[in-house]
Amino acid sequence: FGFSAKTTLQLAQSLYERHKALTYPRTDSRALPEDYLGTVKQTFEMLADSGMGHLAPHAQTALDNHYIRPSKRIFDNSKVSDHFAIIPTPQKPHGLSEAEQKLYDLVVRRFIAVFFPSAEFMVTTRISKVLNHHFKTEGKVLVKPGWMAVYGKEAAEDVEGAKDGDKGQNLVPVREGETVRTESVEAKGLKTRPPARYSEATLLGAMEGAGKLVDDDELREAMQEKGLGTPATRAAIIEGLLTEKYLLREGRELIPTAKAFQLMTLLRGLAVEELSKPELTGEWEYKLAQMEQGKLSREAFMTQIAAMTERLVKKAKEYDRDTVPGNYATLQAPCPNCGGVVKENYRRYTCCGADGNSEGCGFSFTKSPAGRTFEVAEAEAFVRDRHIGPLDGFRSKAGWPFVAEMTLKYSDEDKNWKLEFDFGDDKNAEETGELVDFAGQESLGACP
Ligand SMILES: [Zn+2]
C-alpha cells in the first residue's frame, strides 16, 4: 500500500488500542500460546459471520473442514515471550478508516491462511520442441491451491518480481501430446540490472534478517530471530536516518545521500568499520545470552564495552576533518591557481602544492556540492575545463532534485578560484542590472 513503517505501526496501534481488533502490535513473535485454540476458533466464527465478502467464505471453509487444530507450528509456548503474534481478536471492528481496514485485512488474511493446508506444486522441467530446436522451461504447476486460495491471484506470483523465463515461475499445465504453436519468434538483447533500491518495507525485512549476513556461526545463531533493532524501534531508526539526511525518500525508494557515503568512508578510514556491520549486534546478542546463562559476568561485559568506547574515541581524535585516511584519487589536472597537485581527501579536492605533499595554495572545493558527489573523472574535467555540466542529481536544502552547471571562478576577495553554481538564466540582467522593458507587450487582462 506504500505505507511507511511508522504509519504502519501507528495503524496497528490504533487497531489494537482504539478498535480492540488486533492484538498487541509491538512484537516479533510469530507463534501463539498453546491455550489459545478456543480463542482462535471464536475469532474464525466472528470472521465467518462478519460479512467481509472477500474473507468470510475462507473463514467458513476453515471451520467446515476443521482446519483449526493444535499444531506446534502455530501454537508454541517456547516461541512466545512477553507477546505473541499479531492476530485479529474475536471482536468485530467497526468504523475503521480506509487505511486501517487495509492493514486489518492484511493481518486477517495471513491469520486465516496459516491454518489452511499447504499449496502443492509439481516442479516441472519442460522441453518444448520447435522444428529442430529444443527450448527448456523450468517452473511449477499448481496442483492444489491450499492456503493460496485465501490470497487469490496475488499468491500465484510467489516468486517476487518474476519475469518470463525465470526459474520457479508458474507454468500453464499442458496435456499429454499437446503440440506447440509458434506464434512469433523474437530475439531479445537484455542486460543485467543492478539490484533494486530498498523501500521501507524491504529495508525493514533486511533489518529483521540482518543476522543472515553474519558469517560467524555462533554470532549468526545469537542474532537469529533478532536482527537489527526491535519491532518497536525499527521504524523509528529509519525515520531517524531520514531526519538526519542520511537517506532521502523518493516515491517508495530510499536513496542514500552523500552524507551517508561520507560516514562510511569515515568509519573505514578510522578503522572502526565494525560500527557499520551486523556482526557487532550479533556479538552483543551472543554475550547477552552468555550473561543470561551465567557464563559471563556483567562486570566483564561492561569492561569490554568501556574498552571499545575508549578505542573508538581515541581513533576519532587522531584525525581532523581532512586527514581521515582512505583510498583517494590524485588528479592529473593541475591546480588552476598555482599549478600544484590536486588531491582528493575525506571531504574535498585540495591543492597540495608542487610536490603534492605540502600545504598548497589554499585552492580547494567540496566533493559533494548540493548533495551530489563528484565522480573522480568529473572532478578531473571540472578542474581542467573550469566548467562542468549540466549535471543532474543535485538536491536543494528542501530535498528537491535539480540540474545545474558549475564553474570555477576567480574571486578577487579570496585571491583564489572558487566553485560556483551556474544556472545560466538571467545572466544578462544580473550582470547589467537592467530591467526588462514590458512597454511593447500586450496586456493579458485585469489582475483577478
Ligand atoms: Zn594550488
Side-chain angles (χ1 to χ4, degrees):
F1 310 128
F3 296 157
S4 72
K6 191 174 147 196
T7 307
T8 309
L9 193 56
Q10 276 165 358
L11 291 171
Q13 190 71 25
S14 157
L15 285 162
Y16 163 66
E17 244 170 38
R18 215 158 69 81
H19 298 289
K20 316 259 182 267
L22 292 183
T23 56
Y24 187 76
R26 288 163 194 265
T27 170
D28 54 1
S29 174
R30 294 178 174 199
L32 295 176
E34 283 159 26
D35 59 4
Y36 234 63
L37 192 66
T39 314
V40 165
K41 275 193 181 146
Q42 273 177 26
T43 307
F44 266 89
E45 277 155 17
M46 179 280 287
L47 290 170
D49 199 35
S50 67
M52 289 189 280
H54 50 306
L55 294 168
H58 299 299
Q60 192 61 51
T61 307
L63 288 168
D64 293 346
N65 293 291
H66 307 287
Y67 285 162
I68 304 131
R69 280 186 297 245
S71 141
K72 201 72 179 167
R73 188 171 60 85
I74 301 166
F75 300 97
D76 186 347
N77 282 348
S78 74
K79 290 194 176 149
V80 171
S81 52
D82 299 350
H83 306 289
F84 49 82
I86 306 171
I87 57 165
T89 66
Q91 182 151 330
K92 189 179 161 189
H94 293 283
L96 301 186
S97 71
E98 195 190 324
E100 284 167 347
Q101 185 72 47
K102 279 178 172 171
L103 192 70
Y104 181 74
D105 282 6
L106 204 66
V107 177
V108 169
R109 214 179 273 277
R110 171 68 70 98
F111 173 70
I112 295 177
V114 157
F115 289 91
F116 268 60
S118 306
E120 287 176 28
F121 290 95
M122 190 139 62
V123 177
T124 309
T125 303
R126 182 178 296 164
I127 309 286
S128 309
K129 194 177 155 196
V130 179
L131 295 176
N132 287 323
H133 301 284
H134 293 82
F135 295 92
K136 181 171 163 187
T137 320
E138 285 180 314
K140 54 194 185 175
V141 177
L142 185 61
V143 183
K144 278 187 197 162
W147 62 270
M148 284 193 168
V150 182
Y151 280 84
K153 264 189 177 167
E154 302 149 43
E157 295 167 20
D158 71 330
V159 180
E160 211 175 309
K163 290 176 292 295
D164 283 353
D166 283 356
K167 234 179 176 177
Q169 66 168 331
N170 288 294
L171 295 181
V172 195
V174 291
R175 286 184 306 277
E176 220 180 307
E178 197 171 316
T179 55
V180 182
R181 196 175 74 229
T182 309
E183 290 187 337
S184 67
V185 178
E186 191 187 341
K188 279 187 186 171
L190 299 178
K191 284 181 185 156
T192 55
R193 267 186 297 177
R197 287 194 192 280
Y198 281 119
S199 66
E200 280 201 47
T202 56
L203 185 56
L204 282 174
M207 290 168 83
E208 205 182 336
K212 290 185 202 118
L213 303 173
V214 175
D215 289 329
D216 186 288
D217 289 341
E218 272 182 339
L219 301 189
R220 192 171 52 239
E221 168 84 3
M223 255 188 105
Q224 220 182 22
E225 291 168 28
K226 291 241 156 73
L228 297 177
T230 70
T233 61
R234 273 176 209 135
I237 292 173
I238 296 178
E239 285 298 321
L241 291 172
L242 287 161
T243 312
E244 294 296 328
K245 301 262 161 53
Y246 287 103
L247 293 176
L248 285 170
R249 200 186 264 132
E250 197 169 276
R252 288 188 187 190
E253 291 186 336
L254 295 173
I255 300 173
T257 59
K259 188 179 176 187
F261 286 109
Q262 215 167 52
L263 177 65
M264 298 311 279
T265 307
L266 177 69
L267 294 179
R268 268 195 290 275
L270 298 182
V272 290
E273 221 180 344
E274 68 250 42
L275 284 183
S276 68
K277 296 196 162 167
E279 271 86 352
L280 184 67
T281 308
E283 210 173 289
W284 286 353
E285 292 291 355
Y286 176 70
K287 285 177 182 163
L288 290 176
Q290 278 195 317
M291 269 160 72
E292 224 174 284
Q293 297 157 18
K295 289 179 190 160
L296 180 73
S297 73
R298 183 175 185 280
E299 289 71 30
F301 180 69
M302 289 314 291
T303 311
Q304 288 170 10
I305 296 282
M308 178 183 158
T309 312
E310 248 172 63
R311 190 171 61 81
L312 294 182
V313 173
K314 184 168 163 287
K315 278 277 182 192
K317 277 186 175 166
E318 276 173 21
Y319 302 101
D320 70 38
R321 289 177 146 191
D322 292 340
T323 60
V324 175
N327 183 18
Y328 300 130
T330 301
L331 299 187
Q332 300 297 313
C335 166
N337 194 43
C338 74
V341 179
V342 180
K343 285 183 167 178
E344 178 191 5
N345 65 33
Y346 171 51
R347 292 183 318 136
R348 306 179 71 81
Y349 285 95
T350 303
C351 171
C352 299
D355 62 355
N357 273 317
S358 45
E359 277 284 292
C361 68
F363 169 72
S364 96
F365 61 95
T366 174
K367 269 162 77 171
S368 305
R372 180 193 189 282
T373 305
F374 277 115
E375 304 283 340
V376 176
E378 287 171 353
E380 191 80 72
F382 183 50
V383 175
R384 186 186 62 221
D385 306 337
R386 294 172 198 182
H387 174 269
I388 194 165
L391 300 172
D392 56 13
F394 296 103
R395 295 274 174 172
S396 71
K397 287 218 168 78
W400 298 104
F402 67 90
V403 176
E405 299 182 37
M406 283 180 295
T407 52
L408 281 174
K409 265 199 185 148
Y410 191 78
S411 151
D412 285 323
E413 199 180 316
D414 297 308
K415 301 272 176 282
N416 213 325
W417 296 75
K418 289 180 75 176
L419 180 153
E420 273 181 25
F421 278 98
D422 179 358
F423 296 101
D425 41 20
D426 287 343
K427 204 182 248 174
N428 289 329
E430 203 179 294
E431 279 172 8
T432 61
E434 262 176 49
L435 291 172
V436 183
D437 182 11
F438 287 107
Q441 305 290 325
E442 219 170 286
S443 144
L444 296 173
C447 167

